[in-house]
Amino acid sequence: MKRCPTCGRSYTDANINFCLDDGELLMDSASSSGNSPFADDSPSTVVLDPSRQTNPSTWQPNSSPPQWQTPSAIQPREQFGIAANLGQRDQTLPTIALVLAICSCFLVCCSGGIWLGLPAAVVGFLGMRNADSNPTRYSGRGLAVAGMVIGIVTFLASIVFLFFGIITR
């Protein structure tokens, strides 16, 4: 027979090790001494010997922690295949080519394609060449192609308009 030392409830089942009411470890009634159901010969608290000091030569209780030292010069690590310049790439020439080409569209009839379409095609070609030769520094290949194509079309249209203007006079 087993007895709970906390609540005093008795259990006849030998397979039960913990009290079903409060979860306390059950004690054998034969190990209990005295008439009280709560009497126990074992000490209630286990006292351990004091812990030993490990590695006493390096531990200093009054020393301050070492100060963080900043590195004097940090060199960025350049990984293979990744550009060192992670900022925005230059797309000035392709933007200028597209703006000139769009402006030349509005001035095709009055020979604006000659004065704006041809420079749009040249600047678009230069922007496309930059984007192809150094893609880590330059971008905007699509803008450059669009400016170049529109510039060529408006240049040719202005030439046609100019030719028909001369013939009809």
Side-chain angles (χ1 to χ4, degrees), residues 118-136:
L118 186 60
V122 172
V123 173
F125 176 75
L126 293 174
M128 186 180 67
R129 191 178 64 182
N130 283 346
D132 287 341
S133 66
N134 193 357
T136 59

Side-chain angles (χ1 to χ4, degrees), residues 95-155:
T95 304
I96 291 172
L98 189 61
V99 168
L100 286 174
I102 291 172
C103 291
S104 71
C105 287
F106 296 116
L107 303 174
V108 169
C109 61
C110 44
S111 68
I114 296 174
W115 304 110
L116 295 176
L118 186 60
V122 172
V123 173
F125 176 75
L126 293 174
M128 186 180 67
R129 191 178 64 182
N130 283 346
D132 287 341
S133 66
N134 193 357
T136 59
R137 185 170 175 199
Y138 299 106
S139 67
R141 186 177 194 283
L143 293 173
V145 169
M148 187 172 62
V149 168
I150 295 171
I152 290 172
V153 168
T154 57
F155 174 73

Side-chain angles (χ1 to χ4, degrees), residues 1-4 8-17 26-32 37:
M1 188 152 120
K2 294 183 178 182
R3 180 173 297 270
C4 176
R9 185 171 172 189
S10 298
Y11 294 97
T12 56
D13 190 4
N15 293 330
I16 297 177
N17 293 324
L26 297 177
M27 306 293 289
D28 287 331
S29 60
S31 68
S32 299

Side-chain angles (χ1 to χ4, degrees), residues 1-101:
M1 188 152 120
K2 294 183 178 182
R3 180 173 297 270
C4 176
T6 304
C7 67
R9 185 171 172 189
S10 298
Y11 294 97
T12 56
D13 190 4
N15 293 330
I16 297 177
N17 293 324
F18 296 96
C19 179
L20 299 177
D21 291 334
D22 56 14
E24 186 69 32
L25 181 65
L26 297 177
M27 306 293 289
D28 287 331
S29 60
S31 68
S32 299
S33 64
N35 296 334
S36 170
F38 302 109
D40 192 11
D41 289 339
S42 64
S44 60
T45 304
V46 177
V47 178
L48 298 176
D49 58 338
S51 62
R52 63 184 180 95
Q53 188 177 13
T54 58
N55 203 3
S57 62
T58 59
W59 185 73
Q60 300 170 353
N62 294 333
S63 67
S64 62
Q67 295 295 323
W68 174 259
Q69 297 176 359
T70 58
S72 59
I74 298 176
Q75 299 294 329
R77 283 188 347 186
E78 188 171 334
Q79 296 177 354
F80 180 74
I82 297 177
N85 183 8
L86 298 177
Q88 293 183 346
R89 297 180 293 176
D90 186 21
Q91 53 183 343
T92 305
L93 287 178
T95 304
I96 291 172
L98 189 61
V99 168
L100 286 174

